[in-house]
Amino acid sequence: MTRFYFDVRRNGRLEEDKEGEELPSKEAAIEEAMAAARELVADKVRTGDVVDGDAFEIRDEHGEVVHILPFRSVLRLD
Amino acid sequence: MSRPHFQNKLLALVPPAELELLYPLLEPIDLPKGFAIATAGEPIQYVYFLEQGLGSIVSVSRQGQKAEAGMFGYEGFAPTPPAVRSTMSFHDASLQAEGYGYRITIEALWAAMDRCPEFSRLLARSSQNLATQVSYTALSNAVHQVNERLARWLLMSHDRLRQDEFLITHDYMALILAVRRPSVTTALHVLEERRFIRAERGCVTIRNRSAMEHYAQDAYGLPEEEYRHLFP
């Protein structure tokens, strides 16, 4: 298991995830970020908010960014 | 008998004559974090009156999916089924923040209820208010954003804990709100940016309650209004 951190890039600023989460692999971390982005985007869509350019920057325990997931990338439009 | 000073609102409202009968049946108990007061699918043995601490009532589906249905602290009692002579729990209930209080066996509770009409009415009113709380949690889960639901939950916890700082992990808040952990972290950032709270590792501090109440205004306050109506 590895501890992954899900920082959020919002309006150019990085909001740090101070707790992180133990997950078995990078793929599992991306899956977790996608599931959370779906919840957050669904909230915005449901209440008529703008789905903007926020993104998860997934860090591993060494501080290296292993994946960037824009929230809007979870929208399936076709 | 000199009347003990209760922090629990229900015990504090029991009239002296009824308290004389009830008090010897109450057992003082320390309630550490995680202490299980009821388990879904199992019989209930005791009813608890918290003096301090925060309890969480969690619904559990057959496949093990969980979400918080309600919370209780010094303002009420739990589990509530014995107040209507039911002995089976359909929820997990446990201490989310440590505390202490009193417990009573359900047999003793029923004996006391038979002879203490005002005590019985207090239990009925408290159960009613919990039902209202749960119904507004259902509304909030259906219509409000995670940010507002988190604000609502923090306000409700603050009401019951009566302290600004609570030790709680993002993992646990994710369970409570039935969302993924990174969604909680993101919502905490939103509330922190507005300076309602300070979120540190394993700890949330309320900084500006009234501003957070204003922010959560559609999600917070009606069950609390009913409580004030039921317990003037």
Side-chain angles (χ1 to χ4, degrees):
Chain A
M1 297 287 269
T2 310
R3 185 160 286 271
F4 289 95
Y5 296 85
F6 298 77
D7 298 341
V8 174
R9 176 75 63 183
R10 173 177 292 139
N11 304 325
R13 284 202 7 238
L14 196 66
E15 295 171 346
E16 191 195 346
D17 173 1
K18 292 169 191 147
E19 293 194 10
E21 176 173 358
E22 297 270 326
L23 289 161
S25 62
K26 178 182 152 187
E27 287 66 38
I30 295 171
E31 195 49 53
E32 180 75 348
M34 286 177 72
R38 277 189 213 109
E39 289 173 350
L40 298 167
V41 169
D43 261 6
K44 287 176 182 285
V45 170
R46 192 157 40 81
T47 54
D49 259 13
V50 178
V51 178
D52 45 23
D54 297 355
F56 280 120
E57 295 195 7
I58 309 173
R59 261 187 305 130
D60 64 16
E61 47 203 7
H62 310 294
E64 194 176 332
V65 175
V66 296
H67 192 83
I68 295 177
L69 184 103
F71 287 8
R72 62 169 61 166
S73 71
V74 299
L75 281 173
R76 298 172 59 178
L77 296 172
D78 55 356
Chain B
M1 185 180 86
S2 77
R3 189 184 175 89
H5 176 74
F6 292 112
Q7 292 187 57
N8 184 276
K9 284 279 284 225
L10 304 180
L11 296 179
L13 288 168
V14 174
E18 293 190 5
L19 190 64
E20 225 159 289
L21 206 140
L22 178 64
Y23 189 64
L25 306 173
L26 297 173
E27 174 196 351
I29 182 168
D30 275 330
L31 299 164
K33 185 173 182 163
F35 184 94
I37 70 161
T39 305
E42 289 184 16
I44 297 165
Q45 289 175 304
Y46 293 95
V47 162
Y48 293 77
F49 295 88
L50 267 56
E51 292 272 277
Q52 198 169 306
L54 182 65
S56 182
I57 301 167
V58 174
S59 300
V60 190
S61 78
R62 287 199 174 89
Q63 287 184 20
Q65 305 246 47
K66 292 182 178 185
E68 186 177 64
M71 66 164 74
F72 59 93
Y74 77 105
E75 87 293 356
F77 75 104
T80 53
V84 290
R85 306 247 168 183
S86 172
T87 57
M88 183 59 78
S89 183
F90 283 79
H91 300 91
D92 285 346
S94 64
L95 267 285
Q96 185 201 116
E98 64 168 8
Y100 56 89
Y102 295 93
R103 70 178 181 184
I104 181 171
T105 66
I106 56 171
E107 294 79 11
L109 180 86
W110 295 339
M113 286 176 72
D114 282 343
R115 298 175 59 191
C116 304
E118 183 52 26
F119 175 58
S120 298
R121 281 193 284 273
L122 289 166
L123 297 182
R125 281 187 219 130
S126 180
S127 300
Q128 161 59 28
N129 188 235
L130 181 66
T132 301
Q133 185 204 124
V134 171
S135 73
Y136 277 83
T137 300
L139 174 66
S140 206
N141 289 351
V143 303
H144 293 126
Q145 294 203 359
V146 177
N147 305 342
E148 290 164 285
R149 290 171 53 205
L150 180 63
R152 169 181 194 266
W153 181 84
L154 289 169
L155 289 165
M156 289 169 61
S157 302
H158 191 233
D159 286 338
R160 289 163 179 81
L161 282 168
R162 297 166 290 172
Q163 64 191 44
D164 289 341
E165 189 180 288
F166 9 124
L167 300 178
I168 181 134
T169 63
H170 298 189
D171 264 336
Y172 196 82
M173 286 183 267
L175 160 71
I176 289 198
L177 299 173
V179 296
R180 298 297 179 119
R181 197 209 55 97
S183 300
V184 166
T185 307
T186 307
L188 283 167
H189 284 310
V190 171
L191 302 184
E192 197 168 24
E193 201 166 62
R194 291 167 181 261
R195 302 181 185 276
F196 302 154
I197 59 164
R198 184 161 50 241
E200 285 149 305
R201 198 188 169 121
C203 175
V204 175
T205 309
I206 307 289
R207 292 181 67 190
N208 190 342
R209 181 186 165 103
S210 61
M212 187 151 71
E213 266 187 41
H214 185 74
Y215 173 81
Q217 58 175 338
D218 192 53
Y220 174 81
L222 290 173
E224 291 72 17
E225 200 174 303
E226 187 197 52
Y227 186 84
R228 289 190 292 273
H229 173 71
L230 289 167
F231 299 98

